[in-house]
């Protein structure tokens, strides 16, 4: 056995295929379409979400976060966080912590510390560059140690290697919510794309187009309208 590899294993920095067989406790996402197909979101693990910004990616998480008793930590968000929107999504202001690190390394450190602290149920980190395998593994171990879920947001064009993560979702805008592609999951095959309908929670996502001063008989929807 390579001594360097053995040392990494002892430090729990090597991800092995048989680790995938270990079940993770799931928590309800609050969306029937998502829960029916996935059984919920990982209760202690890493979820990669590749998405254009502002199409409803945060709305997808709010029903789950509303049930949390500990903090939600937002790390390096690329835009100003609208507290009113989070309150409208059911996330209490006193349970929301926003961190603005001054470097990528500081962002990764803050994320790892928040996850393993035991004081948060979920952390969100916005990536701007490719994540290394060993970095992802450290975050995964921290999430499991603190029984927290890490949501990694990445732009669609970002090239991602095969990382030790628990769920990989790719989002795109849809007329009444978001279109979800399950590209990878720990306990199952990838899934065909489906749409999470959000109009029950946010009716403003469906807006009729008005022509010639009168409402059409068959209202059309604006893809992604009003999404955050």
């Amino acid at each position: 056995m390579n001594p360097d590899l053995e040392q990494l294993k002892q430090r729990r920095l090597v991800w092995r295929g048989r680790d995938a067989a270990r079940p993770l406790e799931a928590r309800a996402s609050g969306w029937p379409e998502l829960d029916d197909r996935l059984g919920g979101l990982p209760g202690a693990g890493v979820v990669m979400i590749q998405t254009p910004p502002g199409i409803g990616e945060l709305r997808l998480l709010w029903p789950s976060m509303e049930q949390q008793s500990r903090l939600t930590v937002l790390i390096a968000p690329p835009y100003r966080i609208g507290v009113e929107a989070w309150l409208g999504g059911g996330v209490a202001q006193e349970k929301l912590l926003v961190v603005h690190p001054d470097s990528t390394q500081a962002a990764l450190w803050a994320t790892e510390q928040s996850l393993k602290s035991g004081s948060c149920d979920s952390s969100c980190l916005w990536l701007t560059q490719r994540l290394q395998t060993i970095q992802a593994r450290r975050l995964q171990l921290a999430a499991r140690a603190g029984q927290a879920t890490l949501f990694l947001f990445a732009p669609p064009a970002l090239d991602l290697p095969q990382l030790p993560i628990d769920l990989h979702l790719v989002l795109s805008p849809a007329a009444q919510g978001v279109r979800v592609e399950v590209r990878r999951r720990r306990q199952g095959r990838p899934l065909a794309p489906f749409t999470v309908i959000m109009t029950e929670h946010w009716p403003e996502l469906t807006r009729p187009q008005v022509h010639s001063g009168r409402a059409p008989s068959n209202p059309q929807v604006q893809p992604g309208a009003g999404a955050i």
Side-chain angles (χ1 to χ4, degrees):
M1 173 68 69
N2 185 311
D4 294 333
L5 180 60
E6 182 60 28
Q7 184 178 13
L8 288 174
K9 285 184 177 181
Q10 292 176 0
R11 294 172 60 192
R12 301 177 69 190
L13 294 178
V14 174
W15 182 80
R16 294 170 290 184
R18 63 175 177 266
D19 290 342
R22 300 175 183 174
L24 290 178
E25 182 181 352
R27 60 177 177 178
S29 71
W31 302 105
E33 300 88 354
L34 205 60
D35 290 337
D36 289 346
R37 289 167 174 82
L38 298 177
L41 296 170
V46 179
V47 179
M48 175 70 72
I49 302 178
Q50 284 191 274
T51 177
I55 68 166
E57 66 275 18
L58 294 178
R59 293 176 189 253
L60 193 68
L61 305 181
W62 285 341
S64 173
M65 292 177 174
E66 183 180 4
Q67 307 303 318
Q68 296 177 171
S69 59
R70 296 180 293 172
L71 288 175
T72 293
V73 184
L74 311 180
I75 301 166
Y79 37 72
R80 187 182 67 85
I81 296 298
V83 176
E84 295 84 0
W86 284 78
L87 292 175
V91 182
Q93 184 173 356
E94 62 271 16
K95 295 181 181 179
L96 193 63
L97 176 64
V98 184
V99 180
H100 295 284
D102 56 8
S103 68
T104 299
Q105 193 62 32
L108 290 172
W109 182 87
T111 303
E112 183 178 352
Q113 298 306 310
S114 70
L115 290 169
K116 67 183 183 182
S117 69
S119 61
C120 71
D121 277 305
S122 60
S123 292
C124 298
L125 171 63
W126 282 263
L127 297 174
T128 57
Q129 62 187 43
R130 183 170 175 167
L131 194 66
Q132 298 178 10
T133 301
I134 192 171
Q135 293 171 329
R137 181 56 172 158
R138 288 183 64 95
L139 295 175
Q140 187 182 58
L141 292 173
R144 293 182 184 175
Q147 289 297 296
T149 303
L150 170 61
F151 297 100
L152 290 172
F153 290 100
L158 185 64
D159 180 33
L160 296 172
Q162 287 292 322
L163 297 173
I165 59 177
D166 303 290
L167 183 62
H168 184 181
L169 305 179
V170 178
L171 308 183
S172 55
Q176 295 176 304
V178 292
R179 180 176 180 269
V180 179
E181 176 189 350
V182 180
R183 190 161 291 180
R184 180 185 170 195
R185 52 181 178 151
R186 293 183 75 248
Q187 296 173 317
R189 298 179 179 179
L191 298 178
F194 58 93
T195 299
V196 173
I197 305 298
M198 296 182 168
T199 51
E200 182 177 350
H201 290 271
W202 291 282
E204 67 273 16
L205 289 180
T206 302
R207 297 175 179 174
Q209 291 181 342
V210 178
H211 300 278
S212 303
R214 60 181 180 179
S217 57
N218 295 315
Q220 301 294 317
V221 293
Q222 301 290 341
I228 294 179

